[in-house]
Amino acid sequence: YIQSQRLELYHKHANQLLESGHAYRCFCSPDTLNQMREEQQARGEFVKYDRRCLSLSQAEIDEHLAKATPHVIRLKMPDNHLFAFDDLIRGHVEMEASQSDDQVLLKSDGFPTYHLAATVDDHYMQISHVIRGEEWLSSTPKHIWLYECLGWQAPQWVHLPLILNSDRSKLSKRMNDVSVESYLNK
């Protein structure tokens, strides 16, 4: 799939989430978000969006839309919810929703974030197993919630340990040799 050719599909599902109340528009500026993060860090709090746009009235939302105020669409994570899933490597995993942010699903430029695009694409490709690095484990509740909100069956999750370079840094496709030709030349 080429995501830039599927924007209409991502927008359709983002709008479905808005209509069902599982997502909301956020009109906060980058400066507002930075100040929010700094204040939370200074207080030693878990840094996440404080949902200030969740309480906007429809009239306020309509006013922002009429003025073409840049905005994103955020997933509304449930309060006081325990996400439990079985990972094929890690076994039974439980995570509190309170440790998940109201993730941006659709950016102000109209493009989806990984979270929305991967969920939609995996659904339409009928992906049965998502195999990814363990750094994505903390995002799994968001993805499970997206599947549930969209009425879709979630795949089986598999979170692999990271592969490290000799200096113990994370192996990255953007470091060192990045092409097959480079390996062939060696």
Side-chain angles (χ1 to χ4, degrees), residues 94-174:
E94 294 183 352
M95 301 173 90
E96 288 287 340
S98 63
Q99 295 303 305
S100 292
D101 197 7
D102 284 1
Q103 188 65 50
V104 171
L105 299 176
L106 206 58
K107 298 180 283 185
S108 60
D109 64 5
F111 278 80
T113 61
Y114 166 80
H115 304 282
L116 179 62
T119 300
V120 171
D121 291 346
D122 287 354
H123 170 74
Y124 283 99
M125 287 189 284
Q126 300 178 356
I127 297 297
S128 62
H129 293 71
V130 170
I131 302 169
R132 57 192 183 183
E134 65 187 0
E135 71 268 26
W136 288 101
L137 189 63
S138 63
S139 292
T140 307
K142 298 172 192 178
H143 300 157
I144 290 171
W145 186 239
L146 265 173
Y147 276 98
E148 190 172 322
C149 292
L150 292 167
W152 298 338
Q153 177 68 42
Q156 180 66 55
W157 305 103
V158 184
H159 290 90
L160 301 170
L162 296 179
I163 299 172
L164 304 177
N165 290 311
S166 57
D167 67 357
R168 309 286 300 152
S169 63
K170 181 179 137 184
L171 183 65
S172 171
K173 65 184 176 188
R174 294 172 187 87

Side-chain angles (χ1 to χ4, degrees), residues 20 33 39 71 87 111 117 151 171:
S20 67
L33 295 172
E39 290 171 0
H71 69 282
D87 184 284
F111 278 80
L171 183 65

Side-chain angles (χ1 to χ4, degrees), residues 71-88:
H71 69 282
V72 299
I73 295 177
R74 290 182 178 274
L75 177 65
K76 182 180 180 281
M77 289 297 288
D79 296 317
N80 305 315
H81 184 82
L82 180 68
F83 285 95
F85 59 96
D86 293 316
D87 184 284
L88 288 180

